[in-house]
Amino acid sequence: MPNAIASIALMGWPLVTLALFLRLRPGMALVASLLAGYLLLPPLPAEFDPPMLPSLNKETIPSLSVLVIALALRRVGPRELLPRHPLMLGALAVFLFSPVMTVMTNTDPLRFGIMELPALRLVEVPGIVIRQALLVGPFLLARALLRREEDHRMLLWALVVGGLAYTLPILLEVRLSPQLNTWIYGYFQHSFSQMMRGDGFRPIVFLYHGLWVAFFVAMAVLAAIGLAREGQGPRAVWSWGVAGLLGIVLLLCKSLAAIIYTAVLAPVLALTPRRIQLLAAAGMAALSLGYPLLKGADLVPQEQLLEWAGSVSADRAQSLGFRFDNEDVLLERAWERPVFGWGIWGRNLLYDRDSGRTTTVTDGRWLIVIGVFGWAGYLAEFGLLAFPVLALWFGSGRAPPGPATVTLAVILGMNLVDLLPNATLTPLTFLAAGAVLGMVETMAAVGRRHRTVPEPIRTIL
C-alpha cells in the first residue's frame, strides 16, 4: 500500500507546478512540470479516486496542474489551445466526445459464465470525458507554448538532463534490485518477477515497468545524438559523451525493443541528412496508423518475426507469439463493435466461463483503444499523435525544419511504433506531438505571409 509520502507527493505537485510557472518561461515550466512529474511521482496504485471523476494519479495530476495554472496565470488563452487545422479540430472533438457514444452503445450487461460485467451508464460520461481532456492537455499546451525550434531544442535538453538524473537510480537498481519505489513510497508497483532478466535485474525506479524506463533512456540517447549532431566545439564533444554514457545505461536496462529502436535510429540521426530523418519519422507515424489494417489483412510478417525472435531466445519468441495470438483474438472481438468499442470495465476482454478470469491480455496501446473506444477513438487518438509528423514531412518542401524539430519528430515516431507492442503512452508523447504540430502551424503561417507556400503545405495545411 502507498504510504503517506506518496500521498503528500501527489497532493503537493500542483504547488510545485505553480512555483515553476512563476519562476520560469511558460514553455520551460510546462516541460519541467510534466517531465519531473513523470519521473518522480509515485505510479499506480497510488491515486485519489473521487466519485464520478477520473482517478487523480501520476498521469492526471501533472496534466491538470499545468492546464489550470497556465490558464489561471494567463500564460495561454483558451482560444490559443485549439488547433487551427480542421482535421485536427475534428480529431480532438472525436477524442473528447466519442466516449459519449461508447457509453450509449454499451448499455447492456455482459455475461461470461460466472463473470458478469456491468452495463455502462450516462453517469460515467463526465469522468471519461474529463480523463480524455487531461490526457490531451499536454498536447494542447505544447502546441501553444512550444512552437519554435529553440523550444524543441530546450525539450531535447530536458530529456537529456532527465536521462542523466535517472542514471544513478537506474544503476542502483541494476546492482541492488528494483527497490526505490518500495523504500520511498512503500510499495512495489508491478510484478517483481518481470524485473528479473537473466542473472540480473531491470530497473523500474518510479515508472510503471522496466520497459518504460528503458524507453525513456532511449529517448534521452536520441535527444543527445540530435544535439551533438548540430552542436559545435566542446558542447558537441560533451553531447557525444553523454549519448555514449546513456547508451551504456540503456544496455543495462535489458529491454530488447528499446535497444533495437536506438540501434536503428541512432545512426539515422548521427549520419543522414534531415530529409532522410524526417522520412523515417513519417514512415513510423504511418505504420502506427496503418498497423490495425495490416494486422486485419494478415499482412504483418508474423512468422518471420517469430523466427527472428527465436534466434535471439526461446523466451523472446514465446512472448512475441503470445502477443500476436492475443492481438488476433482481441481484434476479432473489437470488430463485433467496431465504431465506438466495448467501453470500460474490461468489457473489451474475454473471460473463462468457469473461473471468471480473463483469458486475454492487452499489451499494445492501439489494441486497448480499439477495444475500448472503437475505430473512432483509435483514429482520433493516433491521428492527433501521428498527423503532426506526417504534416511536417509533407509540408517541409525543399527545406526541412531545423535539426531539433526533426530529432523530436524521430523520437515521437519511435514512441508511436512502440505503442504497437506496448502501452508507453505518457504525457511526454502528447507533449512531443503538440510541439511538432505547433511548428507545422508556424511553418504554414510563415509561408502564407510570404506567399511562397509549396504545394504540399497547401494540400496538407
Side-chain angles (χ1 to χ4, degrees), residues 391 394-399 440-461:
F394 283 109
S396 61
R398 296 181 180 178
V440 169
E441 293 181 351
T442 299
M443 290 168 57
V446 170
R448 284 193 296 267
R449 283 199 299 269
H450 292 85
R451 297 184 179 180
T452 58
V453 185
E455 184 59 31
I457 291 185
R458 288 197 293 269
T459 302
I460 296 299
L461 299 172

Side-chain angles (χ1 to χ4, degrees), residues 222 265 269 277-278 281 284 406-415:
L222 296 185
L265 295 176
L269 286 177
Q277 297 171 18
L278 201 51
M284 291 185 286
V406 174
T407 300
L408 187 62
V410 171
I411 292 173
L412 175 58
M414 178 180 68
N415 199 167

Side-chain angles (χ1 to χ4, degrees), residues 265 268 274-291 382 385-396 405-417 436 460:
L265 295 176
V268 173
R274 276 181 283 164
R275 288 291 298 172
I276 300 299
Q277 297 171 18
L278 201 51
L279 176 61
M284 291 185 286
L287 175 61
S288 72
L289 276 174
Y291 182 80
F382 277 71
L385 297 173
F387 178 85
V389 180
L390 296 172
L392 190 68
W393 159 253
F394 283 109
S396 61
T405 300
V406 174
T407 300
L408 187 62
V410 171
I411 292 173
L412 175 58
M414 178 180 68
N415 199 167
L416 287 169
V417 169
V436 173
I460 296 299

